[in-house]
Amino acid sequence: LVIDSRSEAWVKRGTIPGSINLHFQKLSNNSEENVADILEDLFDVTRGDALYDFSYAKTLVFFCNGVWCGQSPTNIKSLVKLGYPPHKIKYFRGGMQSWETLGLTTVKPE
C-alpha cells in the first residue's frame, strides 16, 4: 500500500497514482481508538484483547515531499512504536520531489 504522508493541501497539487493520503499527524496525534481504526481498516491489522496482531499486515510504502521532509518518518516512527513490523515498512525518500523530477505520472484527487 502506497501512502502519501503529506497534508491535504500538498496532495491537491498532485500525488502518486494509487496512493492513499494518511496525514502524518493521524498516527501520532490521534486517539488510540482512531489509530486502531486506521490499523484495522487500512493496513489489515487485527486487534486482540490488549495487543495488535500484525500477521496479515500490509507492506507499506511511505512518501512525502522529498528527502528534506519529515512527514513520512513521523508516520513510520509512530507505527514502529505500535509494534508494526519494520520489514513491512518501506520509505521512498525522494518523495514527490524526485517523482516529479523524473517526469513520472501524478494525479490530482477529485
Side-chain angles (χ1 to χ4, degrees):
L1 182 63
V2 180
I3 300 172
D4 188 336
S5 298
R6 302 174 303 150
S7 69
E8 188 176 322
W10 280 106
V11 173
K12 284 182 180 179
R13 295 178 180 190
T15 190
I16 295 173
S19 67
I20 63 162
N21 180 234
L22 180 61
H23 190 274
F24 72 101
Q25 291 180 332
K26 286 190 176 178
L27 291 174
S28 60
N29 293 340
N30 216 331
S31 73
E32 186 177 328
E33 191 61 35
N34 287 341
V35 170
D37 289 344
I38 291 168
L39 292 173
E40 292 173 8
D41 296 343
L42 295 177
F43 303 157
D44 291 344
V45 173
T46 55
R47 188 171 23 172
D49 293 333
L51 301 172
Y52 293 111
D53 179 1
F54 297 98
S55 300
Y56 300 103
K58 293 179 180 177
T59 297
L60 310 175
V61 180
F62 288 89
F63 72 93
C64 46
N65 288 307
V67 294
W68 47 270
C69 184
Q71 296 173 355
S72 288
T74 299
N75 262 342
I76 292 166
K77 289 174 192 172
S78 296
L79 285 172
V80 170
K81 280 184 185 177
L82 291 169
Y84 211 95
H87 70 277
K88 291 189 174 194
I89 299 174
K90 311 298 180 196
Y91 177 28
F92 175 46
R93 286 173 179 80
M96 286 306 295
Q97 185 178 34
S98 292
W99 191 268
E100 290 175 326
T101 299
L102 293 169
L104 300 172
T105 303
T106 61
V107 293
K108 293 184 179 182
E110 298 176 18

